[in-house]
Amino acid sequence: MKKLYAVLILFISAISFSQNIRFEGIIQDTNKAPLEMANIMAMNQGSKTMDAYAITNDKGKFVLNLKPNSSYTIKMSYLGMQNKEITVTTQSQNITQNIMMEAGGIELEGVEIVREMPVSIKGDTIVYNADSFKTGTERKLEDVLKKLPGVEVNADGEVEVEGKRVTKLMVEGKDFFDGDTKLGVKNIPADAIDKVQVLRNYNENSILKGVENNQDNVAMNIKLKSGKKNFWFGDITAAGGFRPEGKFDRYNVNPKLFYYSPKYSVNIITNFNNIGELPLTIQDYFKFTGGFRSMMAKGGSSFNISSNDLGISLLRNNRAKEIETDFGATNFSYNPTKSWSLSGFAILSSSITDLETVSTTNFLDPTSTEVASTENRDEIAHQKSNLGLFKLSSSYKPNANFQFDYDILTKFSKQDENNSLLRETIDENNISTTEGIFTAKKQDPVTVNQNLSFYYTAAEKHIFAFESQHLYQDENPFYNADLQSDPFTSTLPPSNILGYDTSQNRTNLNQNRFVKTNKLDAKLDYYYMLTPKSNINITLGNTNSNQSFNSSMYQILDNGNVNELDNTANTNDVNYRFNDAFLGLHYKILTGKFTFTPGVSLHTYALNNEQLGTSYKQNFTRILPDFLALYQIKKAETLTYNFSFTNNFTDINRQAEGYVLNSYSSLSTGNRTLENSIQQSHTLRYFKYNMFNFENIAGAISYNRTIDAIKTRAFFNNVNQISSPFNSEFADETLTFFGNYGRSFFKYYKASFTANVNWSKFNNIQIDRNTLQDVLVTNESVSQNYSLKASTNFKNMPNIELGYTFSVNEYPNDKFFTDKPTVRLDYFFLKSFSFVSEYEFYHYYNSDKSVENEYDFLSASLIYQKTKDSKWEYKISATNLLNTTSLNDDNFSQFSTRTSQYRVQPRYVLLSLKYNL
């Protein structure tokens, strides 16, 4: 840590002792009105390089930091004004000078100036000149984006600009895997990038632009260098390496090819490795929308289809004991005519993963915050996952007034997980029981999502939009629990599982589930433009869902025979229909600096649950209001308030009343009489972005209150659980705060601070095992995360990035803390060598330090490429140089807290050879 602080002091000193001459002033028009967002740059007449640039603030002010005793040509440009040049010679004193620009700019000359500016603005578009920020060590789009002022990239490949997440990524105006940012930032070569365009207030349908609220929509378009267009480009990498014991058995083969022309584009990405690189994780697969969005978001109802994923273990930070991956993806776009475009992608991924985890779970006493029982587990899991995604899209736009779109996305997977663990159970009397447990999970779900929509401007004041989505989902999870002894004692199974044979030496329970879903959403919007700044939106919509749920259990006896547990209490045969017909009315008006959008929707609901030989029906009507207010304080400063009421409905998975085997120690039953919950949401967001010094301020506070929430009633026998859902009469609440401040200094420095705080209060019912009475369990938790980062971006000097993250997770019976300082060093030297190294240190502990662990990760790579145009590149790299063996984490459920330690991959040393096309 002392070394880290020393580096931080040197970093601050580098900023403090920068010797620059300030050249500042105001750019005005001939009427002395300040010109906001005018471009100004300083070209050194001696070195012929650009030493500084700026964009004026709302008062027309600029500041350039120049070298002393030098001569500069100062160039200025502003849309609609004539470009201007002046000469300035610096000595040792600061210079103040106001500059006047005259009307009548020539567009071609303006474009020429923009090409030289590192950053420029035109309307809602920010343009970054990538070469202005590259230092020579960049290899992927991610490396470039991290150096752009106002842009952040997190570990999951998600990009944020001005504090808002980029929801669509394009290359040359064409969707890159339907906007997925991770595949783009991790694979697009840095040397192919000419410009990065940030498109604010983005709406991919120009017909609806202006009538909808798009202030939170941000897209990014990558412009390629001219030599990369109409030619194949990319690279082919092959690497081999060894582990600490000297076995040369590590490999990584990673070809990537790209082709872009005005008529069509093709992207091919492959990766075959056993070093832990996962181009697409299981988490990515489940959240990959393929561009599909929630079209009913402003309707007031939420009917989400849950996933029967069996709790298959997801990797933390893509780290595990062993990971082997085969990945292939291709994306294309084609324009048969000027008005018709086709696009699509195919992604296939196969991975084999071994995980080792040691964990402790403390189950909370329902009458106090004390620990009622404890479960210690030593667990080994082996996973096989095959994932596939296929998408085809068609868009037909013969003119500016009509657009017709169709999309189909198919997702399938085949997942298997075999798990063996040694479990120690300690009850409230401190009596310990140890047993071995083996489980198997299998599933191969299929999902098909289709979208059909058209948009039509009938006249200047009349706009129609029809959108529909159909979801088909077929799931068939299988679960097997094989235990050395019977964990289901007392009032838990076998007494609950009717027909269960208790005379067996082992517990071998199995369950098949089959869940099918057909869900159709459709809505018709009519927009009437009252004035150029106001409109009325009438929405007629409907959501219809039909689901079936079938499950059955069986027991394998000691002699291998099968005991069918076919009692109605152990099986499910359920059909569930849900329908929501609604009429919505919204009014949008812009008045001065304010935008108001009040709205209301009238819903008629019809629910029918058929099981156990009877039907249970619900029919009712609700009125749901919503409201949005936007205060445009300045051009890039806003304050936004959102309010909404939402009816939340559960799907069939919590309606089926037969037993469902969730795990070796958990059974659950459904509740067909469940009602919807009502969520009241308030969000206040502040945003400010200053191109003058790239200052970025973003903050949000949100409060959610849910009444009649669907909660869980649980009964615990030590650590074994039976649970069922119910509508709670007590409200659940969450309060979340987010804040971010970032800015650039003196062209070469960048810093940011981020804070996230979340408070939650949840109510459940736990059955006291002694009295068998319901006990209300109210749990509050607070999570805090604070992050500070600072970095340099020199052209001919080593660059350093320093970071520090502090997180606190406060649960009812304990607090967990994590200190995480980080350092990244990159240096391009001798015009051929690139050195990159990253270091992370973790200090993990709880309140009394009864749980404490320290571990760190160090990686480094050295790359040789003779010149930037050379085809061949040679690299030696090492991961986990300090050979850290395990990591920690913790989590909280409303009945327990869990801390775990999981094994990670050892040190790998790799030798790589890359050929650049």
Side-chain angles (χ1 to χ4, degrees), residues 316-508:
R316 309 165 183 88
N317 300 323
N318 300 340
R319 289 172 173 154
K321 179 185 177 183
E322 184 83 12
I323 309 175
E324 183 175 345
T325 302
D326 296 331
F327 174 84
T330 183
N331 169 224
F332 82 94
S333 66
Y334 174 61
N335 298 96
T337 66
K338 289 184 178 181
S339 58
W340 184 27
S341 64
L342 295 170
S343 63
F345 64 77
I347 301 174
L348 294 172
S349 178
S350 176
S351 62
I352 299 174
T353 307
D354 292 324
L355 301 100
E356 286 188 15
T357 307
V358 177
S359 65
T360 298
T361 303
N362 292 318
F363 295 86
L364 306 179
D365 191 310
T367 59
S368 70
T369 59
E370 300 298 319
V371 175
S373 57
T374 300
E375 179 188 58
N376 297 316
R377 300 197 306 185
D378 194 340
E379 187 174 2
I380 297 175
H382 180 74
Q383 296 179 357
K384 291 183 178 179
S385 295
N386 295 302
L387 311 174
L389 299 100
F390 300 91
K391 172 84 181 286
L392 180 64
S393 301
S394 171
S395 181
Y396 178 65
K397 190 173 182 179
N399 53 61
N401 296 325
F402 181 79
Q403 183 171 331
F404 176 78
D405 297 332
Y406 173 75
D407 310 274
I408 180 169
L409 172 69
T410 301
K411 300 168 67 173
F412 70 85
S413 66
K414 179 176 174 58
Q415 298 166 267
D416 297 88
E417 178 176 306
N418 295 312
N419 195 303
S420 64
L421 65 92
L422 186 67
R423 177 175 79 157
E424 179 190 28
T425 302
I426 305 173
D427 64 17
E428 71 270 22
N429 298 315
N430 210 30
I431 297 175
S432 174
T433 304
T434 303
E435 58 194 333
I437 302 172
F438 302 92
T439 62
K441 306 172 185 178
K442 298 180 180 179
Q443 59 187 15
D444 52 355
V446 175
T447 299
V448 181
N449 206 332
Q450 297 182 81
N451 172 78
L452 180 69
S453 56
F454 73 82
Y455 310 91
Y456 176 56
T457 302
E460 184 179 355
K461 293 188 175 184
H462 304 279
I463 300 174
F464 294 89
F466 174 78
E467 297 175 306
S468 63
Q469 283 187 12
H470 177 256
L471 170 69
Y472 171 77
Q473 188 169 283
D474 189 352
E475 301 172 288
N476 59 348
F478 169 80
Y479 185 79
N480 165 252
D482 187 357
L483 292 75
Q484 290 180 351
S485 59
D486 185 4
F488 298 126
T489 57
S490 185
T491 57
L492 282 168
S495 62
N496 291 86
I497 300 179
L498 299 180
Y500 180 85
D501 188 342
T502 61
S503 66
Q504 304 301 301
N505 294 321
R506 299 181 68 86
T507 293
N508 193 320

Side-chain angles (χ1 to χ4, degrees), residues 606-630:
L607 295 75
N608 184 23
N609 186 313
E610 296 179 359
Q611 61 179 310
L612 305 175
T614 60
S615 294
Y616 178 78
K617 298 181 179 181
Q618 297 181 61
N619 295 278
F620 58 97
T621 300
R622 286 273 168 80
I623 296 177
L624 300 172
D626 60 88
F627 178 72
L628 179 144
L630 172 67

Side-chain angles (χ1 to χ4, degrees), residues 213 215 593-596 628-632 638-641:
N213 295 305
Q215 63 274 2
K593 294 185 175 183
F594 291 91
T595 300
F596 297 106
L628 179 144
L630 172 67
Y631 175 32
Q632 193 76 43
T638 60
L639 183 66
T640 307
Y641 170 69

Side-chain angles (χ1 to χ4, degrees), residues 155-372:
D156 293 326
E158 294 178 338
V159 183
E160 287 189 355
V161 180
E162 303 178 348
K164 301 174 184 177
R165 189 171 71 87
V166 173
T167 56
K168 178 181 281 292
L169 178 67
M170 298 174 285
V171 178
E172 290 292 322
K174 304 176 189 298
D175 286 358
F176 191 88
F177 286 92
D178 273 285
D180 176 74
T181 58
K182 180 176 180 177
L183 287 177
V185 300
K186 299 290 185 182
N187 291 283
I188 296 175
D191 62 0
I193 302 167
D194 182 31
K195 300 286 190 299
V196 176
Q197 296 177 332
V198 175
L199 312 174
R200 300 176 294 180
N201 302 315
Y202 180 75
N203 192 321
E204 47 189 320
N205 190 315
S206 59
I207 294 176
L208 298 183
K209 188 173 180 65
V211 299
E212 292 190 329
N213 295 305
N214 306 308
Q215 63 274 2
D216 291 329
N217 295 349
V218 180
M220 181 173 283
N221 182 44
I222 306 301
K223 300 291 290 183
L224 301 175
K225 291 182 178 295
S226 58
K228 304 298 181 180
K229 301 173 187 177
N230 299 310
F231 295 98
W232 284 96
F233 67 94
D235 53 69
I236 301 172
T237 302
F242 55 86
R243 292 184 277 177
E245 57 268 32
K247 295 183 68 175
F248 196 87
D249 60 353
R250 302 294 94 182
Y251 66 87
N252 184 15
V253 180
N254 185 202
K256 293 174 287 189
L257 299 173
F258 308 91
Y259 183 88
Y260 281 86
S261 71
K263 196 172 183 66
Y264 67 92
S265 67
V266 179
N267 304 298
I268 301 172
I269 302 171
T270 60
N271 196 323
F272 311 94
N273 74 85
N274 62 355
I275 60 172
E277 284 192 7
L278 278 172
L280 187 77
T281 66
I282 297 176
Q283 299 99 314
D284 295 331
Y285 170 82
F286 283 116
K287 71 181 182 181
F288 200 102
T289 64
F292 281 75
R293 63 190 184 279
S294 177
M295 51 178 275
M296 295 297 190
K298 70 176 183 179
S301 295
S302 174
F303 183 78
N304 294 318
I305 306 300
S306 58
S307 174
N308 287 270
D309 60 8
L310 289 175
I312 284 183
S313 303
L314 302 179
L315 300 183
R316 309 165 183 88
N317 300 323
N318 300 340
R319 289 172 173 154
K321 179 185 177 183
E322 184 83 12
I323 309 175
E324 183 175 345
T325 302
D326 296 331
F327 174 84
T330 183
N331 169 224
F332 82 94
S333 66
Y334 174 61
N335 298 96
T337 66
K338 289 184 178 181
S339 58
W340 184 27
S341 64
L342 295 170
S343 63
F345 64 77
I347 301 174
L348 294 172
S349 178
S350 176
S351 62
I352 299 174
T353 307
D354 292 324
L355 301 100
E356 286 188 15
T357 307
V358 177
S359 65
T360 298
T361 303
N362 292 318
F363 295 86
L364 306 179
D365 191 310
T367 59
S368 70
T369 59
E370 300 298 319
V371 175

Side-chain angles (χ1 to χ4, degrees), residues 32 111 118 216 240 300 316 356 361 383 454 531 641 680-681 691 741 765 790 834 853:
K32 294 189 176 182
V111 172
D216 291 329
R316 309 165 183 88
E356 286 188 15
T361 303
Q383 296 179 357
F454 73 82
T531 70
Y641 170 69
Q680 181 185 154
S681 300
M691 291 295 292
Y741 178 82
I765 289 179
S834 298
N853 193 15

